[in-house]
Amino acid sequence: MYAGPPRAVTGLPTPGRCLVMGVVNVTPDSFSDGGLWLEPGPAIEHGLRLLDSGADLLDVGGESTRPGAVRPPVEDELRRVLPVVRALANAGATVSVDTMRAGVARAALDAGARIVNDVSGGLADPEMLATVAAAGAPYVLMHWRGHAQRMEQRAEYDDVVAEVVRELEPRVDAAVSAGIDPQHLVLDPGLGFAKQAPHNWALLARLEALHALGQPLLVAASRKRFLGALLADPVTGKPRPTTCCDDASAAISTLAAAAGAWCVRVHEVAATADAVRVVARWAESSR
Ligand code: PMM
């Protein structure tokens, strides 16, 4: 199944294997870790711990996108992310800012972030694509159908893989027309964003259909609810808490890396950092 080493993204590390992005959520309400690292000090320490565990990139976010989440004021988002981005970049990390706001992206890039990760794929803020283009920064463009408050009602598909591909195509065109270098553009199927569990599994099983769009892929399954549902207690049927799904997240990292993903985004880095190395070494021996 190995799809060959992932395509490089200009300006980012190229270790010849799938990259590992560690999640630093500086939010009170993220799904699995909201409130744990809301102050800069603990958030920075957490980021450094993820680096130590083998993260290639750190994704710093100040807005929760869990279903039903209410958007924070822009000032709160800036106050949460900027000191953390600055400190982690100064410590030598390659930092991504997870934001849907052009102003936050711009300020985070000025503070040392090198990548913009926009779960709205440029749809939430009309200034985003031009801002990223002007900065010459790599951009993660995710499949998105609307803000957290309404996304559950939008999880309707006849053929989720075909529809996600069809809806990503015009976003790629918009990004390139706005001036984003295709060598800087990463796509993401948006697992859990207006998607139910069967939609997530269908997308994971058909990553080659997304690769056909010609851009590197980021896969972010870590601690999402569909893993808790898969690993539900066999007796009570109670979903497993998503913080206890890190082994399953690492299993998905392995499979995604073997399917040629450019990067996997995870909350606990160590097992995934080992997994992507195993995949690369295995592939080397199969060639
Ligand atoms: N999911 C979350 C946050 N940011 N970014 C990308 N590119 N893709 C995702 O699927 C994604 C994301 C959900 O929140 P979390 O930080 O609790 O995982």
Side-chain angles (χ1 to χ4, degrees), residues 28-82:
D29 55 345
S30 283
F31 193 59
S32 73
D33 55 359
L36 289 181
W37 302 291
L38 188 53
E39 293 304 318
I44 293 161
E45 261 173 51
H46 180 59
L48 294 174
R49 188 176 69 78
L50 296 179
L51 267 189
D52 255 11
S53 306
D56 302 296
L57 315 169
L58 294 177
D59 190 36
V60 179
E63 171 174 0
S64 167
T65 48
R66 64 179 293 168
V70 176
R71 301 201 73 187
V74 63
E75 301 74 32
D76 287 6
E77 192 183 343
L78 286 166
R79 191 170 35 75
R80 290 172 189 169
V81 298
L82 291 184

Side-chain angles (χ1 to χ4, degrees), residues 23 25 65 98 117 119 140 142 188 193 218 220 224 265 267:
V23 179
N25 278 330
T65 48
D98 185 345
N117 172 26
V119 299
V140 179
M142 199 191 81
D188 179 336
F193 287 80
L218 183 144
K224 292 208 168 149
R265 177 183 181 277
H267 298 77

Side-chain angles (χ1 to χ4, degrees), residues 100-102 105 116 118 120-137 139-141 170-181 185:
M100 293 184 266
R101 289 176 163 134
V116 177
D118 176 7
S120 83
L123 288 167
D125 185 333
E127 305 295 321
M128 180 63 100
L129 298 178
T131 300
V132 173
Y139 181 62
V140 179
L141 185 162
R171 300 313 307 150
V172 171
D173 291 347
V176 174
S177 304
I180 295 179
D181 181 347
L185 192 57

Side-chain angles (χ1 to χ4, degrees), residues 22-273:
V23 179
V24 182
N25 278 330
V26 198
T27 61
D29 55 345
S30 283
F31 193 59
S32 73
D33 55 359
L36 289 181
W37 302 291
L38 188 53
E39 293 304 318
I44 293 161
E45 261 173 51
H46 180 59
L48 294 174
R49 188 176 69 78
L50 296 179
L51 267 189
D52 255 11
S53 306
D56 302 296
L57 315 169
L58 294 177
D59 190 36
V60 179
E63 171 174 0
S64 167
T65 48
R66 64 179 293 168
V70 176
R71 301 201 73 187
V74 63
E75 301 74 32
D76 287 6
E77 192 183 343
L78 286 166
R79 191 170 35 75
R80 290 172 189 169
V81 298
L82 291 184
V84 181
V85 165
R86 194 172 292 115
L88 292 174
N90 284 342
T94 306
V95 176
S96 148
V97 62
D98 185 345
T99 186
M100 293 184 266
R101 289 176 163 134
V104 175
R106 180 67 268 161
L109 291 166
D110 288 344
R114 306 243 312 266
I115 311 159
V116 177
N117 172 26
D118 176 7
V119 299
S120 83
L123 288 167
D125 185 333
E127 305 295 321
M128 180 63 100
L129 298 178
T131 300
V132 173
Y139 181 62
V140 179
L141 185 162
M142 199 191 81
H143 176 262
W144 191 77
R145 283 186 165 183
H147 283 291
Q149 297 236 296
R150 301 261 336 267
M151 74 182 172
E152 303 233 283
Q153 296 100 292
R154 295 185 169 137
E156 283 197 9
Y157 303 86
D158 290 325
D159 176 342
V160 65
V161 177
E163 286 168 60
V164 166
V165 168
R166 205 157 60 229
E167 290 171 29
L168 279 173
E169 273 166 347
R171 300 313 307 150
V172 171
D173 291 347
V176 174
S177 304
I180 295 179
D181 181 347
Q183 304 285 336
H184 275 160
L185 192 57
V186 175
L187 300 181
D188 179 336
L191 302 173
F193 287 80
K195 318 231 174 26
Q196 302 294 345
H199 303 136
N200 296 330
W201 289 115
L203 287 161
L204 284 168
R206 295 278 318 281
L207 288 181
E208 80 284 356
L210 290 143
H211 270 130
L213 289 165
Q215 300 301 135
L217 293 185
L218 183 144
V219 173
S222 175
R223 294 189 179 177
K224 292 208 168 149
R225 276 189 307 180
F226 73 113
L227 298 181
L230 174 76
L231 304 172
D233 185 297
V235 177
T236 64
K238 204 170 149 221
R240 190 184 291 180
T242 52
T243 43
C244 305
C245 292
D246 288 329
D247 293 346
S249 300
I252 294 203
S253 297
T254 311
L255 292 164
W262 167 75
C263 181
V264 284
R265 177 183 181 277
V266 289
H267 298 77
E268 268 307 321
V269 159
T272 281

